[in-house]
């Protein structure tokens, strides 16, 4: 089927972005909103987004006019009668979607494909509400739709296979890559992404680390385009909350229960970028009030200490004289003992003459140093550690002395989830990797990341997380465990 006239119902951030994507690909678009006010907001989204592209020199003014000229805006659903495809992007409430699809089924010609951009709701439930379930699919775009290169095409048990193929081809015409998947809550990306975002809010609530530090760790340490809190603000906290709820309903995994903090923010109307404030926004600029430490001597222990010692010595710090041994190191003289470790350091701290001087250091990539303070660490030692690593050119991420600190605690369960998803037969390794790279702008997909970190390291890290948090789904996926036991360094791709 040739898709030339496309309807988009709902012109919020996502719907307007989707309309822009179609119009840029030279399709004619009919944008539908509930009333004149919502329509004006939708027009505003389209004008601002394309206006920004003109300002940046990515589009000429004429091209922008052509794009906008291909979009007709209306409040009348009956204007969709001749559309070849209608994509729905209304709020994530199943009843609204079911009622809309019933309506569209009556309005559109019989061959029209009806697609939902739902983040996680059942495509099957929406399809079943129509007299054409074989021509109903999920067409899931990612925010910001004009930028992110993935479309998940969701087929149900009753979708005609040809329809999934046609929509995947259409995604290619839009400059996107399609990954075809079945109808499970969250599909590939949200099923892997949202639990990680939820977990980040849990770590913050537990006081393991602060918002800015967690964001910095994941952005600068892991190389993600955004930290979890900045991304939650982009996605919309209400959307994130809804998706988590749907995931929880399907899995009953308590990690998927939306964090109480999300609920509180959503109830307060703090929804992220769309409402002007979420985890970020409207906060007074923070004065740089951190007291500088007076400590100039340090000690470094643990595996790989030499490189950090070199960096700190080059920055003018003095290693304390009696620095060598792990136990009984000259902590008193040093003021701060940095213990390089990827596990909690309290057991090392208690072996020092002065346990208050020990701070765990976990280097993440070449830019971030997680600084783990134990229940015994003094404020002065914590400050000194932050100063030292800052002068050594690293970004300090203060955190509690907990398994996985921040980065491994967030990253490893996500990798584990990807292994379980593949092992359950839901999606191939290549599709999962492509989906995360293109849908979230990651440099590497989860399997590529697992292989570059080392399967054994991730497996062992998961064991440590499981041992500490006793969270059943932190236990290494059997496939990962078996590959490590078999001495494999890669996942078999069949
Ligand atoms: N609309 C249109 N274009 C936008 C945009 C928007 N809202 N935001 C950014 N852009 C464009 C810019 O114009 C720029 O284009 P150019 O390269 O042609 O000039 C490009 O994107 C890069 O933008 P910036 O330089 O301003 O900013 P960044 O380099 O920081 O990139 C980002 C911004 C693309 C949002 C990047 O941070 C990113 O990829 N973040 C991850 C986003 C993500 O994970 N999305 C998926 C969320 S999950 C989801 O949507 C599913 C849902 O169901 C919940």
């Amino acid at each position: 089927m040739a898709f030339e006239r496309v309807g988009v119902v709902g012109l919020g951030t996502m719907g307007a972005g989707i309309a822009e994507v179609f119009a840029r690909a030279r399709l004619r678009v009919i944008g539908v909103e509930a009333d004149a006010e919502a329509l004006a907001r939708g027009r505003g989204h389209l004008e601002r987004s394309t206006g920004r592209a003109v300002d940046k020199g990515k589009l000429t003014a004429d091209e922008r006019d052509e794009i906008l000229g291909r979009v007709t805006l209306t409040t009348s659903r009956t204007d969709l009668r001749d559309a070849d495809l209608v994509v729905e992007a209304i709020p994530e409430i199943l009843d609204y979607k079911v009622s809309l699809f019933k309506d569209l089924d009556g309005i559109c010609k019989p061959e029209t494909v009806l697609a939902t951009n739902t983040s996680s709701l059942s495509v099957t439930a929406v399809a079943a509400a129509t007299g054409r379930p074989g021509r109903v699919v999920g067409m899931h775009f990612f925010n910001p739709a004009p930028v992110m290169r993935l479309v998940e095409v969701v087929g149900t048990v009753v979708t005609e296979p040809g329809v999934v193929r046609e929509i995947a081809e259409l995604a290619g015409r839009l400059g996107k890559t399609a990954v075809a998947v079945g109808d499970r809550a969250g599909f590939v990306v949200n099923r892997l992404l949202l639990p990680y975002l939820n977990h980040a809010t849990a770590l913050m609530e537990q006081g393991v680390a602060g918002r800015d530090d967690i964001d910095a760790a994941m952005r600068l340490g892991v190389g993600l385009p955004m930290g979890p809190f900045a991304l939650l603000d982009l996605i919309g906290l209400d959307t994130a909350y809804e998706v988590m709820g749907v995931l929880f309903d399907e899995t009953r995994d308590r990690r998927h229960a939306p964090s109480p903090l999300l609920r509180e923010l959503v109830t307060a109307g703090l929804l992220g970028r769309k409402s002007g404030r979420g985890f970020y926004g409207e906060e007074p600029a923070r004065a740089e009030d951190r007291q500088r430490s007076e400590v100039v001597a340090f000690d470094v222990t643990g595996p790989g200490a030499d490189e950090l010692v070199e960096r700190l010595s080059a920055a003018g710090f003095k290693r304390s004289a009696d620095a060598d041994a792990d136990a009984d190191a000259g902590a008193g003289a040093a003021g701060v003992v940095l213990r390089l470790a990827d596990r909690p350091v309290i057991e090392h701290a208690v072996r020092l003459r002065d346990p208050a001087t020990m701070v765990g250091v976990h280097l993440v990539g070449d830019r971030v140093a997680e600084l783990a303070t134990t229940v015994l660490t003094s404020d002065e030692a914590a400050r000194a550690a932050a100063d030292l690593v800052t002068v050594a050119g690293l970004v300090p991420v203060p955190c509690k002395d907990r398994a996985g600190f921040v980065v491994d605690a967030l990253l490893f369960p996500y990798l584990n989830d990807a292994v379980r998803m593949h092992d359950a037969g839901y999606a191939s390794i290549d599709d999962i990797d492509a989906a995360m790279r293109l849908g979230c702008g990651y440099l590497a997909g989860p399997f590529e990341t697992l292989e570059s970190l080392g399967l054994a390291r991730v497996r062992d890290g998961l064991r440590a997380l499981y041992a500490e948090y006793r969270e059943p789904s932190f236990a290494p996926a059997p496939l990962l465990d078996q590959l490590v036991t078999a001495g494999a360094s890669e996942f078999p791709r069949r």
Side-chain angles (χ1 to χ4, degrees):
M1 172 165 195
F3 296 106
E4 294 308 332
R5 293 171 68 81
V6 175
V8 178
V9 182
L11 297 173
T13 320
M14 280 310 284
I18 294 167
E20 181 183 331
V21 170
F22 283 123
R24 279 178 178 251
R26 306 188 163 278
L27 284 92
R28 299 211 70 83
V29 182
I30 307 138
V32 184
E33 257 298 357
D35 54 42
E37 205 181 307
L39 203 63
R41 273 200 302 275
R43 180 179 289 114
H45 286 310
L46 277 165
E47 287 176 352
R48 266 193 307 282
S49 178
T50 49
R52 248 197 332 256
V54 174
D55 293 344
K56 285 188 160 186
K58 304 279 172 185
L59 280 179
T60 65
D62 285 350
E63 286 166 334
R64 178 198 187 210
D65 291 346
E66 273 177 37
I67 290 169
L68 294 178
R70 285 187 207 112
V71 183
T72 310
L73 297 176
T74 173
T75 53
S76 171
R77 284 182 189 171
T78 51
D79 291 343
L80 296 170
R81 72 181 78 79
D82 295 325
D84 306 312
L85 165 72
V86 177
V87 181
E88 160 279 313
I90 65 172
E92 288 288 274
I93 298 168
L94 188 60
D95 287 351
Y96 291 6
K97 300 213 188 229
V98 164
S99 134
L100 171 65
F101 273 69
K102 277 189 179 145
D103 218 18
L104 292 174
D105 195 31
I107 292 168
C108 299
K109 50 190 184 180
E111 62 272 30
T112 304
V113 174
L114 302 180
T116 170
N117 178 55
T118 183
S119 306
S120 59
L121 292 173
S122 163
V123 179
T124 313
V126 173
T130 71
R132 63 179 87 193
R135 300 192 71 72
V136 176
V137 289
M139 193 174 188
H140 185 216
F141 290 81
F142 293 80
N143 194 351
V147 184
M148 307 317 286
R149 284 166 43 223
L150 177 72
V151 175
E152 287 175 323
V153 181
V154 185
T156 71
V157 284
V158 288
T159 311
E160 296 163 21
V163 172
V164 169
R165 199 182 50 246
E166 284 171 5
I167 295 295
E169 281 165 10
L170 174 64
R173 230 177 112 190
L174 304 176
K176 311 280 185 196
T177 297
V179 166
V181 288
D183 189 19
R184 299 284 178 276
F187 317 129
V188 172
V189 172
N190 283 343
R191 179 65 172 262
L192 297 179
L193 178 70
L194 269 294
Y196 144 72
L197 299 177
N198 202 39
H199 190 192
T201 65
L203 286 188
M204 181 167 78
E205 279 210 284
Q206 290 160 15
V208 173
R211 176 198 67 183
D212 295 6
D213 294 319
I214 294 175
D215 269 2
M218 298 313 285
R219 201 163 50 80
L220 305 174
V222 182
L224 305 186
M226 293 174 132
F229 299 107
L231 183 53
L232 277 162
D233 276 358
L234 174 75
I235 291 172
L237 306 193
D238 50 343
T239 303
Y241 183 80
E242 295 294 339
V243 176
M244 289 314 306
V246 173
L247 286 184
F248 180 75
D249 286 346
E250 185 159 309
T251 64
R252 299 286 153 181
D253 179 340
R254 63 184 179 156
R255 275 187 319 141
H256 295 166
S259 92
L261 180 57
L262 266 184
R263 183 200 35 78
E264 196 179 340
L265 289 164
V266 171
T267 310
L270 308 179
L271 307 181
R273 284 195 194 180
K274 64 176 125 179
S275 73
R277 186 175 157 199
F279 283 100
Y280 289 92
E282 286 180 18
E283 55 216 278
R286 253 200 296 169
E288 189 39 80
D289 57 358
R290 206 167 60 80
Q291 261 180 284
R292 307 287 301 176
S293 118
E294 314 254 299
V295 173
V296 287
F298 68 94
D299 189 8
V300 184
T301 67
D306 291 351
E307 198 192 319
L308 187 58
V309 169
E310 225 169 87
R311 277 174 101 145
L312 292 172
S313 303
F317 291 100
K318 260 207 320 273
R319 190 176 192 184
S320 68
D322 49 349
D324 281 345
D326 178 5
D328 298 327
V336 60
V337 177
L338 303 176
R339 167 82 205 188
L340 280 157
D342 59 3
R343 296 279 187 279
V345 297
I346 184 68
E347 63 184 271
H348 302 289
V350 290
R351 287 157 58 200
L352 290 180
R353 230 176 293 140
D354 182 1
T357 57
M358 181 165 277
V359 175
V361 181
H362 182 223
L363 300 177
V364 187
D366 52 12
R367 293 186 64 188
V368 165
E370 291 177 314
L371 299 179
T373 49
T374 75
V375 283
L376 300 174
T377 306
S378 69
D379 290 348
E380 179 55 19
R383 269 200 302 275
D387 285 352
L388 283 164
V389 299
T390 304
V391 175
L394 295 161
V395 175
V397 170
C399 59
K400 282 189 184 170
D401 188 39
R402 296 288 151 81
F405 304 133
V406 172
V407 168
D408 290 356
L410 290 176
L411 191 60
F412 289 0
Y414 147 72
L415 300 176
N416 205 31
D417 285 348
V419 178
R420 286 183 197 278
M421 173 183 278
H422 167 63
D423 206 26
Y426 182 59
S428 70
I429 288 175
D430 289 346
D431 277 354
I432 294 173
D433 273 348
M436 295 312 291
R437 265 193 274 105
L438 302 173
C440 300
Y442 288 3
L443 292 172
F447 292 91
E448 294 160 332
T449 303
L450 260 158
E451 288 166 353
S452 72
L453 289 174
L455 271 47
R457 186 178 146 205
V458 176
R459 192 272 312 260
D460 294 347
L462 283 163
R463 283 183 171 171
L465 281 169
Y466 176 69
E468 179 146 314
Y469 289 100
R470 299 287 162 175
E471 187 60 65
S473 49
F474 287 172
L479 175 61
L480 176 61
D481 219 7
Q482 282 180 17
L483 286 171
V484 175
T485 309
S489 57
E490 291 182 354
F491 280 80
R493 288 165 169 79
R494 284 187 275 275

